[in-house]
Amino acid sequence: MSKVIEQKQAVVDEIAAKLKDSVSTVLVDYRGLDVSEITELRAQLREADVDFKVYKNTMARRAAEDVNLKDELNEYLVGPTAIATSTEDAVAPAKVLYNFAKDHEALEIKTGVIEGSVVSQEQIKELASLPSHDGLVAMLLSVMQAPIRNFALVTKAVAEQKEEESA
């Protein structure tokens, strides 16, 4: 096998591994963004621990075939396509890209793959409106602490009332 074919196969394997291992993948068309805007986008994605890379569509199609997503993704792998993946936070790629696209109309969200299922643009927008993983954990802890906090307040009020009665 020639070196070129081996290199291409390595890229296909890399894309397939990202599609398999990520909890969230978003495909975008970045045509129309200038270098400074792409640099800004990459910095925001890096800060959110999201991998962002531009691949050739033929390589991405082969990788999609390897992970049984060929029929679902082939129609979106046309024109300039960048792939953002996250192995940690399912919301992060959608949130960063959606918020960036609001300010930069040139960035177009094509589709996404969430835990192995292809999702539409609308579903990605809905996902982007969800709080981050840390935000969800904070909400859960707040809800779990509420009964204890209320019990403590009631106990304190009862104790203060008894003190007033005995005085």
Side-chain angles (χ1 to χ4, degrees), residues 48-61:
D49 289 327
V50 176
D51 184 51
F52 184 75
K53 197 164 181 183
V54 176
Y55 294 103
K56 289 189 173 198
N57 287 329
T58 54
M59 308 274 188
R61 282 190 201 105

Side-chain angles (χ1 to χ4, degrees), residues 22 24-28 45 50-53 82-86 93-94 97:
S22 69
S24 178
T25 301
V26 179
L27 281 66
V28 296
L45 289 165
V50 176
D51 184 51
F52 184 75
K53 197 164 181 183
I83 301 174
T85 58
S86 175
L97 291 168

Side-chain angles (χ1 to χ4, degrees), residues 71-125:
D71 296 333
E72 293 89 350
L73 291 182
N74 271 356
E75 68 182 277
Y76 300 104
L77 293 170
V78 179
T81 304
I83 301 174
T85 58
S86 175
T87 57
E88 301 292 320
D89 189 356
V91 177
K95 185 178 281 302
V96 172
L97 291 168
Y98 179 71
N99 289 337
F100 192 84
K102 281 195 276 186
D103 298 333
H104 303 86
E105 292 179 11
L107 183 71
E108 177 193 344
I109 296 174
K110 292 183 174 185
T111 190
V113 180
I114 309 296
E115 295 184 355
S117 299
V118 176
V119 295
S120 67
Q121 281 180 328
E122 292 77 29
Q123 290 170 312
I124 291 172
K125 289 176 185 175

Side-chain angles (χ1 to χ4, degrees), residues 111-163:
T111 190
V113 180
I114 309 296
E115 295 184 355
S117 299
V118 176
V119 295
S120 67
Q121 281 180 328
E122 292 77 29
Q123 290 170 312
I124 291 172
K125 289 176 185 175
E126 290 173 14
L127 185 64
S129 67
L130 292 174
S132 67
H133 179 266
D134 293 339
L136 289 171
V137 169
M139 286 180 186
L140 176 64
L141 291 174
S142 176
V143 168
M144 291 174 67
Q145 289 177 342
I148 296 168
R149 186 173 39 246
N150 291 342
F151 178 73
L153 290 173
V154 168
T155 305
K156 180 180 176 187
V158 169
E160 287 174 355
Q161 184 180 18
K162 288 197 179 200
E163 277 183 27

